[in-house]
Amino acid sequence: METLDARGLDCPAPVLKTRALVEARHPRQIAVTVDNEPARQNVSRFLSSQGYQTDIQQDGPVFTIVGTLREGVQAAVPQSASPPVSVAASGSRKIMVMVAADRIGRGDDTLGAKLMGNFISTLKEMGTELWRLVFVNSGVRLTTTDAPTLAALKDLEASGVMILVCGTCLDFFNLLDRKEVGETTNMLDIVTAMQLSDMVINL
């Protein structure tokens, strides 16, 4: 079994080190130790995307994610946890929208929050071109319990839009257990999504 101690590392280092180990050694079994919930979720999701069955062992704040390659799956060079969608198949551009705040603009906060709510509700008008919706910094608050944007985001997710929510940001604001929509993600997935998109809109 290959082992990796990723305690004390900030996002996306645990996932990057896990990917590097899988890529270099192609292990049938791997154990990764982390010390925060976002890293646990991100490493587990990454290993699952590469064909590993994962088992989580917890000792206080420390998690050990044990990944065992599923029967019939060949260890291979990892691909992105979020596979690309071909433009030819979708028939449209792939647009990624990054939301880095819970309000739009500067001036009046009440107005800014209302504008953001209107923006999220109107995103459906982009149709199939809306490919990824990414929330970072205080933008993650829009994905949590009681957020006025929650219903619109759930509708977008149900329509096929992948919603990525920064795990480090959720942890910083103590909102990990209040997220209601989207996948808890890391900076590696966000940067990969930027590379694969045809256009990135920053808000």
Side-chain angles (χ1 to χ4, degrees):
M1 177 190 293
E2 295 287 345
T3 61
L4 173 64
D5 188 347
R7 287 174 289 184
L9 300 179
D10 293 330
C11 169
V15 175
L16 288 173
K17 286 185 172 291
T18 301
R19 185 180 72 170
L21 181 56
V22 170
E23 188 175 54
R25 304 283 186 138
H26 311 300
R28 295 208 65 81
Q29 195 167 51
I30 181 172
V32 183
T33 303
V34 298
D35 57 4
N36 61 82
E37 179 63 20
R40 180 196 72 78
Q41 293 187 31
N42 288 323
V43 170
S44 298
R45 185 160 57 87
F46 173 77
L47 288 174
S48 294
S49 76
Q50 304 306 316
Y52 287 87
Q53 170 110 27
T54 58
D55 178 59
I56 313 295
Q57 301 165 6
Q58 183 174 3
D59 182 9
V62 176
F63 303 92
T64 299
I65 305 105
V66 178
T68 304
L69 206 60
R70 296 186 182 93
E71 288 296 326
V73 176
Q74 295 296 318
V77 176
Q79 304 298 318
S80 166
S82 304
V85 176
S86 86
V87 178
S90 65
S92 64
R93 296 179 301 168
K94 302 193 299 285
I95 297 177
M96 170 179 154
V97 177
M98 179 178 283
V99 180
D102 58 354
R103 62 204 67 219
I104 291 179
R106 298 183 180 182
D108 186 87
D109 285 346
T110 300
L111 174 61
K114 182 176 181 180
L115 290 173
M116 179 60 79
N118 290 344
F119 175 79
I120 296 296
S121 297
T122 311
L123 273 175
K124 61 185 178 182
E125 300 304 321
M126 293 177 68
T128 58
E129 291 193 344
L130 180 59
W131 178 64
R132 295 283 189 273
L133 187 52
V134 180
F135 292 90
V136 298
N137 211 317
S138 64
V140 301
R141 292 177 175 144
L142 301 171
T143 68
T144 60
T145 307
D146 299 328
T149 49
L150 203 54
L153 290 176
K154 286 184 175 180
D155 285 345
L156 286 170
E157 187 174 50
S159 73
V161 176
M162 177 172 281
I163 297 175
L164 303 178
V165 188
C166 169
T168 298
C169 307
L170 287 167
D171 191 40
F172 180 86
F173 291 113
N174 198 28
L175 292 172
L176 276 168
D177 60 347
R178 291 176 59 82
K179 179 178 71 70
E180 297 283 344
V181 65
E183 287 188 8
T184 303
T185 193
N186 58 79
M187 205 55 71
L188 174 61
D189 282 350
I190 293 172
V191 170
T192 300
M194 283 182 166
Q195 283 183 298
L196 297 173
S197 63
D198 297 305
M199 177 186 295
V200 178
I201 299 173
N202 292 291
L203 201 64

